[in-house]
Amino acid sequence: MEKFYITTPLYYVNAEPHLGHAYTNIAADTIARYMRRILGVHNVWFLTGTDEHGQKIERAARELNLIPQEFVDKMVLKFKELWEKLNISYDDFIRTTEPRHVKFVEKVLEILFKKGDIYLSDYQGWYCIPCETFWTESNSDNLCPDCKRPLERIKEKNYFFRLSKYQDWLLDYIEKHPDFIKPPSRYGEVLSFLNLNRLNDLCISRPKDRLSWGIPIPFSKEHVTYVWFDALMNYISAVGYFDDNERYISKWWPAEIQLIGKDILRQHAIYWPIILNALGIQSPKTIFAHGWWMVGESKMSKSKGNIVSPFEVISQYSVDALRYFLLREVSFGMDGIFSEEAILRRYNSDLANDLGNLVYRVVNMIEKYFGLQIPQEIDMKNLDDLTNKLLIKMEDLVKKEPFYLQLPAVNFNDALENIWDLINTANKYIEDKKPWILSRENRIVELRNFVATLVKVLNKIAELISPFMPQTSNSILEQIGKNSLKKGLPLFPRIDPKY
Ligand code: MSP
């Protein structure tokens, strides 16, 4: 693969990041690391950032008596701080208030306006302020179909983008590109939506007297750009430009994969490819919509007041425990329920007991039987059955390894399950070989072979887990990756339940 471009949604900065935001960035980071380290792709570009315009943010700023720019400048630091803590290896961070983005959006609007794909018309409808979403029709209860909060009635002049003109093109495109929307359940959802409904044109402006915190519409003094139209552009504004003939030039586009949560599927699987097509730009190869982290029965979200702070989970369990838990607990694409019990269970069993224990035992055996010198050579001619079995298991996994995420299907939990199978086989190997007997009976050659085998397997495990748990991987390699042992602290000390 020559290049690999991966993106995450741009998160709204109206509140501090929560576990749901962390989830998408951890997933994207794991894929980016996997591409760089496991598949050896040199040109990987990982983009994340923040969505900083719109009513929601203007209101949040006003509540704190700040001007929006001051507010977003402050909030963006929280996101950057979290990404640093979580070891998110992004290559670029885009903010929608940056001049590079603003200029690009203005250019796009001009191109589409000139082309006749944007026009002025009357807008009447219902608007959900917290969701920043228009609904052309409302049910009798006048509540937002998404969040169930009251809608506001609106009538005004606005600019519209001709979404409807491209519906047939999109249907055809999706039918011909089975990998465009993942997982398959979401693909089916979008396809049947398009088959059953006619798209309305998309209102892409807001009158300035109602909302001023947005990108000015270049051909109207009275309007700013609708926040979703603005934000979607980031994926290309960050990596390209238009030349004099208004041709889009980019080293990175189209993205190989764009991760989103299923809450923003409509914008990414319908609006986004259509806008790109209108601009004569290719669609991304894959839009992957993952599931939600729930608390009990409801989606974790600021508006529901049930958010879990990733900062707190990290301080209690460690960064890698959080990364591991989120990617291991549910299959990517499905919803998961977050609870203290669930993460504690994973922590104590998979991390403390399985992986932590394996590292601890191997390090201690090296120290006890060989001092600081790590045995490296395995005598391949004299392998007993147990050793053979373990090495074959490792080789099998390594053969699968280049494809263990099997993109564009993203099977984090399968990959981890396979790696844990190797970890558990290695633990069992120690129990079965009974090194204390080998030592007591002075069977030094056998003991050396045994420890060298474990060292080899553990080095491989460290490599395989590196996209998921970079810190843990480094720590294992620091301890046993060279010729001499460098004993560290236990990786995952057991944590007693509070209840
Ligand atoms: N700003 C828009 C996206 C614009 S992209 C051009 C937005 N922002 S958001 O802050 O609400 O973040 C939404 C994304 O955060 C979701 O699509 C998902 O990736 C992640 N999550 C937010 N809550 C989540 C859960 N409870 N569970 C899993 N992921 C969640 O929408």
Side-chain angles (χ1 to χ4, degrees):
M1 198 179 290
E2 269 166 32
K3 62 103 188 164
F4 186 83
Y5 178 31
I6 179 167
T7 70
T8 72
L10 295 197
Y11 306 104
Y12 287 130
V13 291
N14 60 318
E16 290 194 17
H18 62 68
L19 196 95
H21 306 127
Y23 184 46
T24 319
N25 270 32
I26 289 170
D29 181 62
T30 301
I31 296 174
R33 287 175 183 273
Y34 168 78
M35 284 293 155
R36 297 188 199 108
R37 168 96 180 251
I38 308 293
L39 293 195
V41 179
H42 291 300
N43 292 316
V44 172
W45 198 251
F46 170 12
L47 175 73
T48 188
T50 41
D51 192 349
E52 304 188 351
H53 289 125
Q55 198 146 25
K56 205 150 56 170
I57 285 153
E58 193 178 55
R59 284 193 179 180
R62 199 178 313 137
E63 272 163 29
L64 293 176
N65 269 327
L66 292 174
I67 58 165
Q69 190 64 54
E70 274 173 344
F71 174 69
V72 297
D73 286 349
K74 203 169 87 125
M75 292 305 289
V76 74
L77 299 176
K78 292 276 175 198
F79 284 81
K80 288 191 166 165
E81 183 192 339
L82 179 60
W83 304 151
E84 196 167 317
K85 270 223 156 93
L86 285 171
N87 290 312
I88 305 299
S89 62
Y90 58 80
D91 296 290
D92 190 7
F93 188 105
I94 189 159
R95 303 176 55 185
T96 54
T97 49
E98 282 174 67
R100 62 169 169 160
H101 176 75
V102 172
K103 275 189 219 136
F104 191 94
V105 172
E106 287 170 349
K107 181 78 193 167
V108 164
L109 289 165
E110 267 166 0
I111 294 174
L112 294 177
F113 187 58
K114 233 195 299 174
K115 203 180 156 198
D117 277 348
I118 288 178
Y119 62 93
L120 188 66
S121 182
D122 274 336
Y123 181 75
Q124 284 202 54
W126 297 90
Y127 190 59
C128 175
I129 295 168
C131 298
E132 305 261 14
T133 308
F134 271 96
W135 301 97
T136 35
E137 273 151 49
S138 151
N139 296 329
S140 52
D141 56 6
N142 294 346
L143 296 181
C144 171
D146 269 358
C147 74
K148 309 288 178 227
R149 281 171 290 195
L151 294 167
E152 287 180 20
R153 181 84 185 147
I154 277 172
K155 182 177 179 216
E156 59 201 16
K157 280 250 178 279
N158 265 317
Y159 286 91
F160 287 78
F161 169 68
R162 291 192 200 282
L163 213 57
S164 57
K165 172 176 153 190
Y166 295 96
Q167 174 157 1
D168 294 338
W169 168 81
L170 182 61
L171 248 176
D172 183 59
Y173 183 85
I174 293 177
E175 271 164 3
K176 287 188 179 132
H177 296 83
D179 281 345
F180 178 52
I181 303 162
K182 290 276 167 194
S185 55
R186 302 288 159 231
Y187 179 89
E189 193 179 305
V190 175
L191 204 59
S192 70
F193 177 84
L194 288 171
N195 273 317
L196 294 172
N197 300 280
R198 284 314 297 172
L199 292 176
N200 293 316
D201 288 347
L202 180 67
C203 181
I204 55 131
S205 71
R206 297 293 178 265
K208 260 191 198 149
D209 50 15
R210 180 155 73 77
L211 170 70
S212 61
W213 185 235
I215 298 180
I217 297 264
F219 37 85
S220 165
K221 288 200 185 64
E222 278 126 54
H223 292 90
V224 298
T225 313
Y226 170 44
V227 62
W228 263 105
F229 187 91
D230 157 0
L232 283 168
M233 291 307 129
N234 90 85
Y235 303 127
I236 54 173
S237 73
V239 293
Y241 62 93
F242 287 101
D243 69 11
D244 292 343
N245 299 317
E246 296 185 339
R247 248 193 343 230
Y248 180 74
I249 312 277
S250 175
K251 169 179 173 195
W252 296 104
W253 193 259
E256 272 62 32
I257 192 163
Q258 300 203 261
L259 295 191
I260 58 167
K262 66 180 184 184
D263 45 330
I264 52 178
L265 183 62
R266 181 162 46 111
Q267 290 87 342
H268 284 81
I270 298 178
Y271 305 169
W272 179 224
I274 289 185
I275 297 168
L276 285 168
N277 186 248
L279 290 164
I281 302 174
Q282 242 178 299
S283 287
K285 302 242 171 76
T286 296
I287 302 277
F288 195 110
H290 64 66
W292 287 337
W293 281 99
M294 322 274 285
V295 175
E297 306 249 295
S298 39
K299 180 192 175 209
M300 188 186 299
S301 73
K302 160 118 199 302
S303 55
K304 297 232 174 67
N306 61 358
I307 56 167
V308 173
S309 159
F311 292 106
E312 274 168 32
V313 180
I314 293 169
S315 71
Q316 215 171 328
Y317 297 95
S318 81
V319 168
D320 280 359
L322 174 60
R323 292 178 63 116
Y324 177 80
F325 173 76
L326 293 178
L327 299 180
R328 175 66 204 265
E329 189 72 0
V330 293
S331 104
F332 203 54
M334 308 290 282
D335 293 345
I337 296 175
F338 185 88
S339 72
E340 287 275 341
E341 290 79 12
I343 186 167
L344 187 67
R345 204 180 318 120
R346 283 278 172 207
Y347 180 93
N348 278 335
S349 77
D350 302 12
L351 298 178
N353 233 11
D354 301 344
L355 178 59
N357 215 8
L358 177 63
V359 175
Y360 182 79
R361 287 159 117 181
V362 173
V363 164
N364 276 335
M365 284 191 288
I366 298 170
E367 191 182 33
K368 190 161 167 203
Y369 302 133
F370 302 98
L372 291 181
Q373 211 47 39
I374 300 180
Q376 307 276 3
E377 290 303 309
I378 307 174
D379 177 6
M380 299 303 275
K381 289 189 296 296
N382 295 305
L383 291 186
D384 56 86
D385 268 4
L386 287 174
T387 308
N388 225 345
K389 241 175 77 190
L390 178 63
L391 288 175
I392 286 173
K393 178 148 238 151
M394 180 182 85
E395 293 307 329
D396 280 351
L397 191 57
V398 172
K399 265 186 238 146
K400 259 197 258 172
E401 169 203 337
F403 306 108
Y404 70 54
L405 283 182
Q406 286 149 353
L407 302 178
V410 188
N411 295 313
F412 296 121
N413 67 329
D414 283 352
L416 285 170
E417 213 173 299
N418 284 329
I419 300 169
W420 251 254
D421 190 26
L422 180 63
I423 291 171
N424 288 328
T425 311
N427 271 323
K428 176 102 188 353
Y429 175 66
I430 300 176
E431 280 139 38
D432 290 345
K433 288 285 290 184
K434 302 189 177 43
W436 55 94
I437 295 183
L438 302 182
S439 161
R440 202 168 51 213
E441 295 177 354
N442 229 351
R443 288 145 70 184
I444 288 301
V445 177
E446 217 176 316
L447 189 61
R448 177 174 290 278
N449 233 4
F450 164 74
V451 174
T453 303
L454 284 167
V455 166
K456 185 167 176 168
V457 170
L458 201 47
N459 269 296
K460 187 45 90 179
I461 288 168
E463 185 192 329
L464 295 174
I465 63 170
S466 70
F468 300 90
M469 298 194 278
Q471 218 161 289
T472 305
S473 167
N474 282 343
S475 158
I476 296 173
L477 293 175
E478 267 163 29
Q479 298 188 57
I480 58 135
K482 306 247 167 64
N483 287 330
S484 59
L485 181 70
K486 238 181 111 198
K487 199 173 169 182
L489 293 171
L491 286 180
F492 299 101
R494 266 192 86 81
I495 299 178
D496 288 327
K498 280 180 285 186
Y499 40 89

